[in-house]
Amino acid sequence: MRCIARLVLFFVFIACQFSIADSHVKEFMIDEDGQQHDASRITSTSKKPNILLILADDVGTGDIPHYWGNNIVQMPNIEALQKKGVTFMDAHATPLCAPSRYMLLSGNYAHRGRYPQGAWGFKEKDGSNFDRKQKTMAQMLKNAGYRTTMYGKWHLGGEIPQPGTLNKTHILSGGGNDWSNPITNGPNDYGFDESYFTMAGIQTPPYSFFRDGYLTTSMEDVKWWKTGRSKPANKNGKSRVGKAGEGDKYWDSTEYNMRLVQETNDFLANHNTTDPFFIYFAMGAVHTPHSPAQTYLDGTKIAGTYNTSHLDLLHEMDLVVGSLTSMLEDQGLIEDTIIIFASDNGGLVEGSSSGKLRGKKSSIYEGGHRVPLIMRYDNILPAGETRDNLVGLNDLYATIADLAGTRVPDRSAQDSISFASHAISESNASPREWLGTWAFQMGKTSREAIRYGHMKLVRILRASANPTYEMYNLSEDIGEKKNLLKRKFRTNEINELKTMMRKYLRREGPCPADHKGSFKNAKNKWVTCDFFKAYPVACEWQVQGELFCNSICGRHRNFCPLYV
């Protein structure tokens, strides 16, 4: 009876979604006074909180203590964060890092950007993954009076300086690029006042840092790095290059995270203003190539602490979190700062990195996209609690807006739902019932899934065959072993649920079916798809065009024939 009741509620929910078109964009937008989400505790003070957003790379829930009991690596600093904050047990990214970084900073599903599969590095033109009408999290906070800075792995695209051309082999020395000019469509073009970053962390060239968009390597110091290991000048370990290419002759992968820590320390030491700050700290750990340093900044041993370099880097990751927390404490900022720790996708090893979950990084199963998420905000969020409800990295945009007492910009973060009130109190239900996950390959959706409560529908698409489906009840089968769509498990109720979940998955995905009736456009007028057919330029600035008239306004129609 309980399942039938949930199914009835599901039908009502879908009906409301299709009849009130504008609700998809506006339903969860927060009033400036915060009353919709019982946020009076947050907005009662005029001082806005500082925000430190730490994004780990390729870290799964099984890598973090207290998710599945896999305490292979001792992490006292992350455990301290958990004890003083809220740990989310059912948080999700995408299965790969570049789309997840777009998801995080835009508040949107990956296919709302220019490149659904992600903008991984430099391009000749249209280099950024952000659509021009979208405001990033950094732009939202900057407009709200924040000083914004970004350190680490960007992985959201950009364009080489002009004049010049993109030489994919010799990115730095080829193409006649004028590196006295900054790159375009990088962090400083999307809301960050300051930045110190690499395009792709430690994984691909160029192996050089950029400061505020300017290359920090002189042309005399550009070197071709071969794949393999080398001993850097500081002799604190063996640097490693996973893919040959150009970079700084002083490049040292062992010091990547520690350099980011030092940059953050300098920022906080010189932050003399009363303006709040937003630091986006995107570390290199624990992406390959694994090259842990011998010792950390304070002399703590790293390499050889555990029996693999992967585990040693998880150890270093915890030391980094400890350094960042200590800096805030030393500056007297800890009680005024929201600290968020998350990862961009699942971990690297099925089992140890995913715990009881099936799959690992790149998988459509839970181990590929369920990620650790911890939030600490003293005197606002409770200490030492967990939340079991469904949330996505895209929801952090609206949640941070709520906690900071500001608003989500129009036409931005359309897939973001604030869970601030749920974080504050478990008695406040999480507003998210649905969450989609897409894994794009070569410009086509090859795997996708939709969550509705504990139910999960997986759809695998193939260009030369009909799509296949799987369904799992995660409350009973967290390891996704029992496909409820197999003949011996199927019931009429399961079939009906599959039909409705499939409809919602398509509606939220890159190729929604055209809406047959009327809906409200951006000017709050009732229109049909004929409006966008007559005025296609409206597709550029009205998100309703893409949401409800995909055949006219959709940006990714090249692979929509898969959706039959």
Side-chain angles (χ1 to χ4, degrees):
M1 292 298 293
R2 182 181 176 187
C3 291
I4 294 173
R6 285 170 68 89
L7 191 58
V8 170
L9 287 173
F10 172 58
F11 276 91
V12 172
F13 178 77
I14 290 293
C16 290
Q17 290 287 310
F18 277 88
S19 63
I20 309 175
D22 203 43
S23 68
H24 181 85
V25 182
K26 302 294 185 182
E27 184 175 359
F28 299 104
M29 187 169 283
I30 303 150
D31 290 339
E32 286 183 320
D33 62 6
Q35 293 303 309
Q36 282 190 9
H37 295 290
D38 298 322
S40 57
R41 291 171 59 191
I42 304 166
T43 57
S44 59
T45 175
S46 60
K47 181 174 175 57
K48 295 181 183 294
N50 304 309
I51 301 164
L52 170 62
L53 174 53
I54 307 168
L55 188 68
D57 198 344
D58 291 355
V59 174
T61 53
D63 293 322
I64 302 298
H66 303 308
Y67 270 89
W68 307 107
N70 293 2
N71 296 341
I72 299 172
V73 176
Q74 298 302 307
M75 297 185 180
N77 297 299
I78 289 179
E79 286 189 86
L81 198 62
Q82 291 175 313
K83 289 176 182 177
K84 295 181 179 180
V86 178
T87 300
F88 294 85
M89 306 300 290
D90 199 1
H92 296 263
T94 78
L96 290 172
C97 71
S100 290
R101 290 161 199 271
Y102 169 81
M103 181 182 182
L104 172 69
L105 292 182
S106 72
N108 288 325
Y109 290 132
H111 50 268
R112 311 284 187 213
R114 278 198 180 102
Y115 307 102
Q117 69 274 28
W120 300 75
F122 283 113
K123 296 184 183 296
E124 195 81 49
K125 62 178 181 178
D126 295 329
S128 170
N129 203 18
F130 295 108
D131 185 88
R132 64 181 180 179
K133 65 176 174 282
Q134 299 165 349
K135 301 297 183 184
T136 67
M137 183 188 296
Q139 287 171 312
M140 171 188 72
L141 292 171
K142 183 175 181 177
N143 290 337
Y146 277 75
R147 181 184 174 192
T148 58
T149 190
M150 184 266 165
Y151 300 123
K153 181 176 179 177
W154 178 237
H155 231 190
L156 283 163
E159 297 150 31
I160 55 174
Q162 297 299 319
T165 57
L166 178 61
N167 185 315
K168 293 183 179 180
T169 303
H170 293 78
I171 297 176
L172 299 182
S173 65
N177 305 317
D178 184 357
W179 290 105
S180 66
N181 293 323
I183 69 169
T184 56
N185 281 317
N188 294 79
D189 298 302
Y190 286 96
F192 289 102
D193 295 314
E194 303 161 50
S195 62
Y196 185 71
F197 66 96
T198 57
M199 289 298 290
I202 60 172
Q203 68 192 78
T204 57
Y207 300 112
S208 294
F209 279 91
F210 294 82
R211 188 179 295 280
D212 298 335
Y214 290 89
L215 180 67
T216 61
T217 302
S218 66
M219 288 298 100
E220 294 78 17
D221 289 335
V222 171
K223 174 180 177 176
W224 180 267
W225 285 101
K226 296 179 181 179
T227 302
R229 294 190 177 193
S230 64
K231 200 167 187 178
N234 65 15
K235 299 180 181 180
N236 191 26
K238 288 190 176 180
S239 181
R240 192 164 189 169
V241 169
K243 182 179 180 180
E246 287 189 327
D248 196 301
K249 71 177 184 180
Y250 299 108
W251 174 259
D252 180 3
S253 61
T254 70
E255 67 175 14
Y256 189 87
N257 298 304
M258 289 184 276
R259 289 182 74 166
L260 305 184
V261 169
Q262 291 172 321
E263 289 287 328
T264 306
N265 184 63
D266 291 344
F267 173 88
L268 291 174
N270 294 293
H271 184 71
N272 306 343
T273 115
T274 57
D275 293 338
F277 60 76
F278 167 51
I279 299 174
Y280 173 43
F281 188 100
M283 66 175 69
V286 296
H287 200 288
T288 56
H290 293 149
S291 55
Q294 291 296 319
T295 58
Y296 189 62
L297 292 167
D298 62 357
T300 302
K301 180 181 177 182
I302 301 175
T305 303
Y306 294 92
N307 59 9
T308 70
S309 296
H310 175 213
L311 298 181
D312 286 340
L313 281 176
L314 286 169
H315 170 46
E316 182 190 72
M317 177 187 72
D318 184 69
L319 296 174
V320 168
V321 171
S323 290
L324 297 173
T325 305
S326 295
M327 289 175 200
L328 294 172
E329 291 172 344
D330 293 344
Q331 297 289 334
L333 296 168
I334 193 72
E335 290 190 356
D336 298 323
T337 303
I338 302 168
I339 304 175
I340 303 170
F341 175 87
S343 178
D344 59 351
N345 47 244
L348 296 173
V349 183
E350 185 168 5
S352 61
S353 292
S354 57
K356 297 178 181 179
L357 304 177
R358 177 181 176 181
K360 59 181 180 178
K361 174 185 177 179
S362 82
S363 172
I364 196 62
Y365 300 106
E366 293 291 290
H369 52 83
R370 189 182 291 217
V371 295
L373 175 60
I374 307 163
M375 294 181 65
R376 174 184 173 183
Y377 186 12
D378 293 358
N379 303 314
I380 299 296
L381 300 184
E385 293 191 4
T386 60
R387 298 288 182 267
D388 296 323
N389 292 84
L390 187 64
V391 298
L393 285 192
N394 47 314
D395 295 327
L396 281 172
Y397 192 121
T399 302
I400 287 173
D402 205 343
L403 293 171
T406 188
R407 293 194 61 159
V408 173
D410 290 342
R411 301 193 297 278
S412 298
Q414 64 199 62
D415 300 309
S416 189
I417 302 172
S418 173
F419 57 84
S421 62
H422 179 59
I424 291 170
S425 175
E426 191 174 17
S427 63
N428 297 325
S430 172
R432 179 170 286 288
E433 295 182 89
W434 300 88
L435 185 67
T437 302
W438 288 265
F440 297 92
Q441 288 184 339
M442 302 300 290
K444 296 183 178 180
T445 306
S446 56
R447 295 154 291 149
E448 57 184 1
I450 189 80
R451 282 281 304 276
Y452 172 51
H454 291 295
M455 301 303 294
K456 179 176 180 179
L457 180 71
V458 174
R459 187 180 192 218
I460 301 172
L461 299 103
R462 300 175 179 86
S464 59
N466 291 329
T468 58
Y469 293 89
E470 300 168 14
M471 183 182 287
Y472 301 97
N473 183 345
L474 299 181
S475 65
E476 301 173 353
D477 178 27
I478 193 65
E480 295 172 280
K481 297 177 180 178
K482 180 181 176 181
N483 180 6
L484 298 177
L485 296 180
K486 286 187 175 179
R487 187 180 299 275
K488 61 181 178 180
F489 302 124
R490 293 182 79 146
T491 64
N492 288 336
E493 185 181 45
I494 290 296
N495 288 334
E496 290 172 356
L497 188 57
K498 174 198 167 185
T499 299
M500 299 308 294
M501 291 178 76
R502 177 185 169 186
K503 287 182 179 179
Y504 194 86
L505 180 60
R506 177 164 187 187
R507 179 168 185 248
E508 295 299 288
C511 300
D514 286 353
H515 190 66
K516 295 181 180 179
S518 59
F519 52 89
K520 286 185 178 180
N521 68 359
K523 294 186 176 181
N524 209 33
K525 294 183 178 179
W526 287 98
V527 299
T528 67
C529 286
D530 289 339
F531 169 81
F532 291 96
K533 188 178 294 184
Y535 303 100
V537 69
C539 296
E540 293 296 316
W541 60 278
Q542 296 195 29
V543 296
Q544 290 82 358
E546 185 170 357
L547 291 173
F548 301 107
C549 307
N550 175 71
S551 69
I552 303 164
C553 298
R555 285 170 291 166
H556 310 303
R557 298 192 300 276
N558 59 316
F559 56 85
C560 288
L562 286 172
Y563 284 78
V564 294

